[in-house]
Amino acid sequence: MLMSDQLPEARTAITSLLREARRRGMVESEVHFSRLLADTELRSGHCGRALDLGRESLRLARDSGIGESASAMLASLAEASGGDVERALTLAREAADHAEVDGDQLYLSLALAALGYAQLVAGDAQGAVRSLRRVRELEHGMGINDPARGRWQGDLAEALVRVGEPGEAQELINVTRVHALRLNRASVLAVLDRAEALVRAARGEHQAAYAQLTSAQERLAKLGFGLEEARAAFARARLRAAQGPGPAAYDEAARLFRRCRALPWLRQVERAVAAGPAEAEPVPAAAAGALDGLAAMERQVAALVMEGATNREIAARLFISVKTVEATLTRVYRKLGIRSRVDIVRLAAGRRTK
């Protein structure tokens, strides 16, 4: 039921099973069903309730020595959504370390997905990319292609956009969407649309991005995914605020996060309001002309970056290795005095408007 977005039905069934486990004194079952119910409440946007259940499941797991890694992983997700982000990071790393020692690839991928999410909430986009790329590799190795299992793809796409890799983000979205459509994972498809809107915004397609975020938010609301709905509202608010309408742009996102009791996310809204309208980082004026001064290979790589190609796609099209692409990009950044792929696109756009 959880995989197919039937949250009310899942809550009813799991609550009944948890009540019976407690009545019979079945500790192992109580740990398991407390964890499942916490997961259900988290997806429903009831972060406070999920946090209480996650903490209780972890306490029981540690007291009994049953299911500690799984409970730490779920507690991490709950902490990152509604509690203490630093504790979320600690719990996710603990779960990942245990799974690594046990050689359990399945739980390792889930723990790293929780770690990547906590890193994203903490503002460590680079760390989130590292963790979630490894989840992708692990799931590929295990032949797992149902995106409703770990639900990490939207987080990785968002983190990739934040670090200036919209091309890789779009590639991930395209691949994941095929599986989500085949399996009818409606909530996954809505989250992918939210992530794709971030890619579009990074490429300057603000109107299309706003429309896609609006659609994603409405669909997530209908499905009952309260926290994901609030995240879509937050993304819309950031896009609006970049156009300069002021703090009121964040009112809806703040209201939805308060309803969810998603305190770490609410603090992000407060910081965004305090920071004012987001502005693009200035690019050195002399750098625009430097595009013409790049070596032939550097110009080819930069041109493909402007098209949104990933490093892997660039390597395939130029018949070179991915490491050569990375080294070439490093030289391009140094010569142009910039730091990311987004800056290359911005330079090209600036040159075209002159």
Side-chain angles (χ1 to χ4, degrees):
M1 286 183 281
L2 283 178
M3 298 281 277
S4 55
D5 301 332
Q6 300 176 55
L7 297 180
E9 296 84 351
R11 182 184 296 107
T12 299
I14 297 168
T15 299
S16 176
L17 291 166
L18 177 59
R19 189 179 298 118
E20 185 65 15
R22 285 171 173 167
R23 187 183 70 80
R24 295 189 181 188
M26 303 166 64
V27 177
E28 183 173 359
S29 295
E30 183 178 354
V31 170
H32 176 68
F33 292 126
S34 292
R35 191 168 62 243
L36 280 181
L37 187 56
D39 192 13
T40 305
E41 297 292 4
L42 195 57
R43 296 187 192 192
S44 302
H46 304 152
C47 299
R49 174 68 172 150
L51 187 61
D52 291 341
L53 285 163
R55 287 173 174 174
E56 177 64 12
S57 174
L58 182 58
R59 183 188 66 77
L60 285 171
R62 285 177 168 166
D63 287 348
S64 63
I66 297 170
E68 291 184 65
S69 294
S71 293
M73 178 271 297
L74 199 286
S76 171
L77 291 171
E79 292 284 356
S81 298
D84 184 334
V85 179
E86 287 302 318
R87 179 167 169 75
L89 293 166
T90 298
L91 288 170
R93 290 187 177 109
E94 173 189 318
D97 288 345
H98 285 172
E100 196 98 63
V101 170
D102 294 341
D104 191 329
Q105 301 289 286
L106 194 63
Y107 268 109
L108 177 59
S109 67
L110 290 170
L112 288 172
L115 177 58
Y117 172 65
Q119 289 168 321
L120 187 66
V121 177
D124 179 11
Q126 290 283 3
V129 167
R130 286 193 297 272
S131 297
L132 296 174
R133 276 176 173 165
R134 190 170 178 208
V135 175
R136 180 174 59 189
E137 292 170 4
L138 287 166
E139 288 202 352
H140 180 74
M142 291 183 285
I144 296 171
N145 54 32
D146 187 345
R149 175 189 167 274
R151 295 178 181 267
W152 50 268
Q153 293 85 354
D155 291 336
L156 177 52
E158 180 173 338
L160 285 165
V161 171
R162 290 193 193 182
V163 302
E165 295 285 357
E168 184 180 343
Q170 187 64 61
E171 181 181 25
L172 170 66
I173 290 164
N174 293 344
V175 170
T176 306
R177 186 176 279 134
V178 171
H179 297 299
L181 284 167
R182 176 175 56 84
L183 297 168
N184 194 29
R185 303 307 194 205
S187 63
V188 172
L189 288 167
V191 168
L192 290 175
D193 277 357
R194 184 186 69 206
E196 188 170 56
L198 300 180
V199 174
R200 286 181 166 177
R203 291 174 172 167
E205 302 169 19
H206 295 143
Q207 187 173 352
Y210 193 83
Q212 193 167 22
L213 284 170
T214 301
S215 172
Q217 181 181 340
E218 290 173 351
R219 285 149 55 207
L220 288 164
K222 288 179 182 177
L223 289 166
F225 280 70
L227 183 57
E228 300 293 0
E229 174 197 356
R231 288 178 63 179
F234 188 25
R236 286 176 69 212
R238 281 175 158 162
L239 196 55
R240 287 177 59 197
Q243 312 305 310
Y250 291 99
D251 287 352
E252 183 184 19
R255 176 180 63 81
L256 291 173
F257 282 134
R258 278 196 295 269
R259 185 184 70 182
C260 294
R261 289 178 59 190
L263 300 182
W265 285 103
L266 189 57
R267 284 191 285 271
Q268 286 197 37
V269 173
E270 291 168 351
R271 287 194 293 270
V273 171
E279 296 182 1
E281 291 186 15
V283 177
L291 282 168
D292 298 322
L294 297 176
M297 177 63 73
E298 293 164 353
R299 284 199 304 274
Q300 290 181 68
V301 169
L304 290 171
V305 166
M306 293 171 203
E307 294 177 14
T310 65
N311 287 357
R312 189 177 307 165
E313 291 169 339
I314 293 170
R317 289 172 67 173
L318 298 181
F319 302 101
I320 57 178
S321 70
V322 173
K323 286 188 176 181
T324 299
V325 174
E326 293 170 349
T328 303
L329 274 175
T330 299
R331 292 196 302 274
V332 169
Y333 296 157
R334 185 177 65 251
K335 287 184 178 182
L336 300 183
I338 59 177
R339 294 183 292 178
S340 73
R341 303 164 77 95
V342 172
D343 289 336
I344 294 177
V345 176
R346 196 181 303 136
L347 281 171
R351 186 172 62 171
R352 283 194 296 270
T353 58
K354 291 184 179 180

